[in-house]
Amino acid sequence: MSEISNTTSHSTADRESAAGRDDRLELRLWLRLLTCSTMIERRMRAMLRQQFETTLPRFDVLAQLERVSEGMTMGELSQRLMVSNGNITGLVDRLVEEGAIRRLPSQTDRRSTRVSLTPEGRKIFAAMSSAHAQWIDQVFAGVGREDKLRLYDLLGKLKGSARVSAGSSDT
Amino acid sequence: MSEISNTTSHSTADRESAAGRDDRLELRLWLRLLTCSTMIERRMRAMLRQQFETTLPRFDVLAQLERVSEGMTMGELSQRLMVSNGNITGLVDRLVEEGAIRRLPSQTDRRSTRVSLTPEGRKIFAAMSSAHAQWIDQVFAGVGREDKLRLYDLLGKLKGSARVSAGSSDT
């Protein structure tokens, strides 16, 4: 196992540039993780804008709804997107206006309206989703399959660890 | 090497919930990476708010400036934070008003003003930085040292791959 090395040069400054050689592995690891996710997210934003004139938050809402035929409540949607309810209300309103999603009145509770994709929304999303999968493939093209599986496993461990740490001291 | 498994349950829905069992490894990997970085970022935001009544973007600006005694231009700062220049102008203005950072007029170009930490800003950041490092340690507490080194290496490969893919087709 190699020791950590500084692969960041001045011409490619990023979030990792805040880590010094003497910083702890954990901090360097976090800044590298953040750099990767920011780079990939930024690329997805650019591609969605260029090729579909849409935004990442809109894509994310459609992606979550595509998984469930019965729709989901705003609470479920915000939990899955890991953002606050208020952040997606306006987004959902606009997607409803445009006909990509619709509100289904709940049979049990008027307050917990469900939203779901319309057939039109499902069609729009299918095209975006297929292109998005290709862009993601390109992002990972330089990482071998064994390394991808290893990375997937290690991120699973990190996710478990982060969840435990959040549960132990959040107020 | 284990095959990918779905560790997401309904009670812990997150960004990964948009991935189906039949989805490609690359997509599942991206959504897991995004889930990890979102969880950790959310936790840092919460802790900074609770313990220092400050925000993550403010912390990030101070963290970048802490590395360089000679300060940096707004362009350098926005590149390192991986956000647009416009996004940090207001932030920097407020930090200047509060006395945490100051503007240094450039000797060569009036337009490329540099910003740097004040002694007071350096003191404030030292306290936040030490707490932040502890929170990050907690987040990674459930991941062994060998796994952390492996993860660091694999994320380095991913970063290289993502950079190549961005360079090859960005317009």
Side-chain angles (χ1 to χ4, degrees):
Chain A
M1 186 58 51
S2 65
E3 271 303 315
I4 54 178
S5 61
N6 194 338
T7 56
T8 311
S9 76
H10 274 247
S11 63
T12 55
D14 55 36
R15 297 300 293 263
E16 271 196 74
S17 313
R21 282 175 179 280
D22 51 339
D23 269 322
R24 296 175 58 80
L25 171 59
E26 289 75 11
L27 185 59
R28 297 176 62 95
L29 190 42
W30 161 235
L31 291 173
R32 179 165 283 189
L33 178 73
L34 184 58
T35 297
C36 286
S37 74
T38 307
M39 282 176 76
I40 300 172
E41 208 167 44
R42 199 161 58 166
R43 181 156 171 72
M44 295 306 117
R45 277 181 211 281
M47 297 303 279
L48 283 168
R49 193 176 56 236
Q50 282 168 34
Q51 300 199 10
F52 294 95
E53 292 179 356
T54 193
T55 66
L56 191 53
R58 291 168 64 100
F59 176 81
D60 287 341
V61 166
L62 300 179
Q64 292 292 346
L65 292 178
E66 201 263 339
R67 289 280 149 205
V68 289
S69 52
E70 75 282 12
M72 59 177 77
T73 65
M74 293 294 283
E76 285 166 338
L77 189 56
S78 73
Q79 186 190 3
R80 282 162 184 249
L81 292 174
M82 304 172 81
V83 297
S84 76
N85 224 313
N87 280 342
I88 51 170
T89 304
L91 210 57
V92 163
D93 287 347
R94 282 193 298 281
L95 287 165
V96 168
E97 278 167 33
E98 295 166 20
I101 69 182
R102 66 185 157 199
R103 291 205 174 78
L104 312 167
S106 166
Q107 276 131 3
T108 53
D109 179 358
R110 282 179 56 192
R111 287 165 305 177
S112 63
T113 311
R114 304 179 80 79
V115 288
S116 77
L117 287 188
T118 61
E120 176 64 17
R122 205 165 281 279
K123 219 170 83 185
I124 295 167
F125 181 73
M128 292 197 285
S129 171
S130 155
H132 178 265
Q134 282 179 32
W135 306 330
I136 292 293
D137 281 0
Q138 287 164 13
V139 163
F140 285 98
V143 185
R145 180 158 177 94
E146 282 301 301
D147 278 345
K148 281 188 276 211
L149 285 165
R150 242 174 241 125
L151 186 53
Y152 188 81
D153 278 348
L154 289 167
L155 288 172
K157 287 187 189 179
L158 171 55
K159 186 172 158 180
S161 175
R163 182 166 285 146
V164 166
S165 100
S168 67
S169 57
D170 266 10
T171 52
Chain B
M1 187 57 52
S2 66
E3 269 303 314
I4 54 179
S5 62
N6 193 337
T7 55
T8 312
S9 76
H10 274 247
S11 64
T12 54
D14 55 34
R15 298 298 295 261
E16 270 196 75
S17 312
R21 282 175 181 280
D22 52 339
D23 269 323
R24 296 176 60 81
L25 171 60
E26 289 75 11
L27 186 58
R28 298 176 61 95
L29 190 42
W30 161 234
L31 291 173
R32 179 165 284 187
L33 177 73
L34 184 57
T35 297
C36 286
S37 74
T38 306
M39 283 176 75
I40 300 171
E41 209 168 42
R42 198 161 57 167
R43 181 156 171 72
M44 294 306 116
R45 277 182 211 282
M47 298 302 279
L48 283 168
R49 194 177 54 237
Q50 282 169 34
Q51 299 199 12
F52 294 95
E53 293 180 354
T54 193
T55 65
L56 191 53
R58 290 166 65 98
F59 175 82
D60 287 340
V61 166
L62 299 179
Q64 292 291 346
L65 292 178
E66 201 265 338
R67 290 280 149 205
V68 287
S69 53
E70 75 283 11
M72 59 178 79
T73 65
M74 293 294 283
E76 285 166 338
L77 189 56
S78 72
Q79 185 191 5
R80 281 161 185 249
L81 292 174
M82 303 171 80
V83 297
S84 74
N85 223 312
N87 280 342
I88 50 170
T89 304
L91 209 59
V92 164
D93 286 347
R94 282 193 298 281
L95 286 165
V96 168
E97 279 167 32
E98 296 166 19
I101 68 181
R102 67 185 155 198
R103 291 204 173 78
L104 313 167
S106 167
Q107 277 132 359
T108 53
D109 179 359
R110 282 180 57 193
R111 287 165 305 175
S112 63
T113 311
R114 305 178 78 81
V115 290
S116 77
L117 287 186
T118 61
E120 177 63 16
R122 205 165 281 279
K123 219 170 83 185
I124 295 168
F125 181 73
M128 292 198 285
S129 171
S130 156
H132 178 266
Q134 282 178 32
W135 306 331
I136 291 291
D137 281 0
Q138 287 164 11
V139 163
F140 284 97
V143 185
R145 179 158 177 93
E146 282 301 301
D147 278 346
K148 281 188 278 211
L149 285 166
R150 241 174 243 127
L151 185 54
Y152 188 81
D153 277 348
L154 289 167
L155 289 172
K157 288 187 189 181
L158 172 55
K159 186 172 157 180
S161 174
R163 183 166 286 147
V164 167
S165 100
S168 68
S169 58
D170 267 9
T171 54

